Amino acid sequence: MAAAGCEVAHATGRERPTGVRLVAVELRVLGKSPAWQDAGGACSGYHVEAEGARVLLDCGSGVLGKLRAVVDYADVDAVVVSHLHADHILDLVPYACALVYAPRHQPVPVDGWPGTESPPRPPLYAPPGARDAFRRLCTATGMREQHIETGFMLEEYDPGLPLQVGPFEVAFQPVPHFLPTQAVEFAADGRRLTYSADSAPSDDLCAFARDTDLLLIEATLPRPEREGPRGHLTPGEAGDHGRRAGAGRLVLTHISDELDAEWARREAERSFGGPVEIAHEGAVYTV
Ligand SMILES: [Zn+2]
Ligand SMILES: [Zn+2]
């Protein structure tokens, strides 16, 4: 559905007018479920790749298995976490197990890593407060307190400062949710991929995503929350955010398989004013 008069440019080309090839940023959906998995699915997790650099964006329940079906988990260059809700972090526990205890690393030194043949320990960029939250999570689930920090080089990022991860500049925008949460943008050679994370309606999100090539935006709710603070978007609200941002492409995510996908698409397209895609596991988007 391409609405007449729509100001949105649906950029799909990957070459400059001169024919010089640009860096392609590839987004692969590993898990798109909301806080509970779809049948056979996984919670939030996205593999972002450019120039051979691999970043895992969020690591919710079930994501490690989906990641392993695509790449060797030891080859991931960095993990970036949007916020500390369970559906965005829980698979960091088994991921750290793999990085430390997998057969390729045996025998594991009894005092833990770093040992003489240390595993890769990819950087894990997580929000302020993550170190304490991860330690409590690990302790509560019978792991060593520093289990996640043993598998990863944990760094609490400053949401006000962008990171350089391989070819990507990774920028953050705080968005309204039930706990501190950042929308995340990956930019490489002028190509931009923007992820809303979990967010209530937000003018800041629209501004952050202004003219992005692809906006991956949550569309969790069949209707706005009946009471209390807002924390998520409906598909219609997600489409409206995409229109206000002038996003080139709009992909809805964090959406349950118990929600009618065609209804969600129609709602979002009506407010976006152009075609909208619904994320599904295994989907690959290139900008
Ligand atoms: Zn979530
Ligand atoms: Zn959340």
Side-chain angles (χ1 to χ4, degrees):
M1 184 184 77
C6 172
E7 74 273 23
V8 175
H10 296 281
T12 55
R14 290 168 53 184
E15 300 204 340
R16 299 181 199 275
T18 59
V20 177
R21 192 172 179 80
L22 288 165
V23 170
V25 177
E26 182 189 276
L27 164 70
R28 181 183 296 268
V29 178
L30 302 175
K32 65 82 178 171
S33 306
W36 67 102
Q37 292 99 321
D38 293 347
C43 291
S44 292
Y46 308 92
H47 182 263
V48 184
E49 182 174 4
E51 294 187 314
R54 304 171 181 278
V55 179
L56 177 63
L57 172 59
D58 282 345
C59 191
S61 307
V63 167
L64 180 64
K66 304 291 184 180
L67 176 73
R68 294 195 61 197
V70 178
V71 298
D72 185 340
Y73 58 82
D75 289 340
V76 170
D77 295 295
V79 179
V80 177
V81 170
S82 65
H83 68 300
L84 297 174
H85 266 152
D87 55 317
H88 296 254
I89 64 164
L90 280 187
D91 260 21
L92 291 172
V93 175
Y95 196 163
C97 286
L99 290 168
V100 175
Y101 301 118
R104 71 182 89 179
H105 305 311
Q106 297 292 341
V108 175
V110 291
D111 293 330
W113 300 105
T116 53
E117 297 177 48
S118 298
R121 294 192 80 217
L124 167 59
Y125 301 105
R131 189 176 306 276
D132 181 55
F134 292 160
R135 288 183 177 185
R136 284 186 282 117
L137 170 65
C138 291
T139 301
T141 53
M143 311 304 291
R144 293 183 184 187
E145 183 180 50
Q146 298 187 17
H147 170 68
I148 289 176
E149 294 160 79
T150 303
F152 299 92
M153 288 189 296
L154 174 61
E155 180 177 325
E156 294 185 0
Y157 59 74
D158 178 342
L161 298 176
L163 303 170
Q164 192 71 40
V165 182
F168 297 110
E169 182 171 277
V170 181
F172 302 99
Q173 168 62 53
V175 290
H177 190 45
F178 302 117
L179 80 181
T181 300
Q182 280 65 234
V184 186
E185 176 183 286
F186 289 78
D189 196 23
R191 297 296 165 127
R192 292 170 59 210
L193 163 68
T194 309
Y195 168 55
S196 70
D198 292 1
S199 179
S202 169
D203 293 338
D204 288 341
L205 174 59
C206 294
F208 181 61
R210 172 77 55 210
D211 297 329
T212 190
D213 294 298
L214 188 151
L215 176 56
L216 177 67
I217 188 167
E218 74 123 289
T220 311
L221 301 174
R223 65 190 71 81
E225 293 92 340
R226 290 192 173 93
E227 57 186 20
R230 297 291 312 272
H232 291 287
L233 300 172
T234 67
E237 290 170 334
D240 181 62
H241 281 60
R243 178 188 58 76
R244 290 160 58 198
R249 295 172 73 183
L250 193 68
V251 180
L252 305 190
T253 193
H254 207 270
I255 186 167
S256 172
D257 63 358
E258 297 180 59
L259 206 60
D260 183 333
E262 283 310 308
W263 169 82
R265 188 199 311 275
R266 285 194 305 273
E267 288 285 305
E269 289 186 339
R270 184 162 31 236
S271 52
F272 181 51
V276 172
E277 296 161 85
I278 310 290
H280 60 88
E281 286 163 14
V284 176
Y285 305 96
T286 304
V287 297

